[in-house]
Amino acid sequence: VLTEQGTVCDDAIVANLGSQGWLWCHGSGASMERLQESAQGLNVEIELDDGLHNIALQGPRALALLQAHGPADLDQLAYFHHREAELFGHPCRISRTGYSGERGYEIFADAAVVGDLWDNLLGHGERMGVMACSFAALDKVRVEAALLFFGYDMTEDHSPWEVGLGFTVSRRKADFRGREAALALEGQERFLAAGIMAQHDDALAGGEKLLLDGVEAGVVNSPVWSHRLGRSLALVHLRADAVAPGTLLDVVGDGFACAAEVAAIPFFDPGKERTHA
């Protein structure tokens, strides 16, 4: 989602529900404000539905659990597609999406039934290793998969080209907010999105400066300790001359310093074989 200046103000997934209805799942940015601006003068209604809840079931056993208690043909649902369904006897919508580097699904359901869906997923999935996870755990897997978080890895100060989202800017669509401004920013990148592996036995704090040959070259945005990879990882912004994998950097924070190496992203499953399986 762009500002008039062609910078990033949010990220979202928009699903066509048919009959002129759309489901907009936004990030932590200014989606609602931009939607309200776009709706002025048009025959459209925007409803913030606090009664709609989302359970994200992620991992290699997600499909088997959902198929056992929901649609038997769920394996036919393509990546980023969605469908109405019944799960544990409750109506819901299932989309093949998620904020992890795993094959996964998101279950959209009404407040009246979402608690029972949650209990059933955990109860029936316990023997399969299904468990509830915290935001901290989610943050780890999304960084491993190099999935961005608005407010950290991208803000309204950043162009889509700087944060690796240039592929989302349509060159075919004739007009949309920020189109010309965004296209004019291509080639003007002040930095590029990248990843580092720090020589540290814990997560970095975030905000540390990255130095190349003693000269500031970037900043740490989203740091985590990856239990799966056994490494201190971070999504960062770096000067274009510092983003090549294998480049050695110094990490400098408040009373802290360590070395780091630029790594190819995503850190985990670089071929996206798990999400696209």
Side-chain angles (χ1 to χ4, degrees):
V1 184
L2 297 178
T3 66
E4 296 286 359
Q5 294 73 39
T7 60
V8 180
C9 66
D10 205 0
D11 60 333
I13 297 175
V14 185
N16 184 350
L17 305 181
S19 302
Q20 298 297 315
W22 301 80
L23 174 63
W24 181 291
C25 299
H26 60 85
S28 55
S31 277
M32 179 59 81
E33 292 88 337
R34 301 292 81 79
L35 277 174
Q36 290 170 335
E37 290 173 359
S38 295
Q40 291 181 12
L42 302 178
N43 183 22
V44 62
E45 295 180 3
I46 301 171
E47 178 185 357
L48 178 61
D49 189 354
D50 278 334
L52 183 65
H53 293 253
N54 177 2
I55 299 174
L57 183 65
Q58 305 288 297
R61 296 174 184 170
L63 176 61
L65 178 57
L66 293 177
Q67 279 190 305
H69 303 280
D73 60 348
L74 191 62
D75 58 331
Q76 301 302 307
L77 189 66
Y79 187 49
F80 264 81
H81 285 226
H82 61 97
R83 57 168 290 181
E84 291 183 336
E86 187 173 280
L87 184 63
F88 296 106
H90 298 304
C92 63
R93 180 172 298 276
I94 299 176
S95 67
R96 191 176 160 189
T97 51
Y99 201 35
S100 75
E102 299 283 354
R103 179 169 184 152
Y105 299 84
E106 291 182 290
I107 303 153
F108 297 88
D110 186 81
V113 303
V114 73
D116 192 58
L117 287 174
W118 172 272
D119 291 340
N120 274 291
L121 287 169
L122 288 177
H124 288 273
E126 183 177 8
R127 288 178 294 177
M128 302 171 69
V130 175
M131 65 182 68
C133 79
S134 66
F135 178 81
L138 180 63
D139 204 37
K140 292 175 187 289
V141 295
R142 71 95 184 169
V143 168
E144 290 173 347
L147 300 175
L148 308 185
F149 186 6
F150 185 85
Y152 292 86
D153 309 298
M154 53 181 170
T155 74
E156 290 194 17
D157 292 329
H158 305 149
S159 79
W161 319 102
E162 291 174 327
V163 296
L165 293 176
F167 71 95
T168 68
V169 181
S170 175
R171 301 180 189 275
R172 298 187 303 273
K173 190 175 181 181
D175 186 39
F176 51 87
R177 179 191 293 102
R179 181 185 190 278
E180 297 307 318
L183 292 175
L185 290 172
E186 187 177 12
Q188 308 299 316
E189 296 84 6
R190 300 161 295 174
F191 55 82
L192 296 173
I196 62 168
M197 291 187 175
Q199 295 179 15
H200 186 46
D201 58 3
D202 200 350
L204 299 174
E208 292 92 344
K209 293 180 180 179
L210 299 171
L211 308 182
L212 175 62
D213 297 328
V215 179
E216 186 171 344
V219 64
V220 173
N221 300 320
S222 293
V224 297
W225 173 262
S226 170
H227 293 273
R228 172 156 47 189
L229 301 179
R231 298 296 300 269
S232 181
L233 311 177
L235 298 179
V236 303
H237 290 160
L238 282 173
R239 289 195 326 246
D241 63 335
V243 298
T247 301
L248 299 179
L249 303 169
D250 292 312
V251 182
V252 179
D254 186 11
F256 171 83
C258 75
E261 181 178 332
V262 178
I265 51 176
F267 302 100
F268 176 72
D269 188 27
K272 299 286 188 180
E273 296 176 0
R274 298 173 77 94
T275 54
H276 293 62

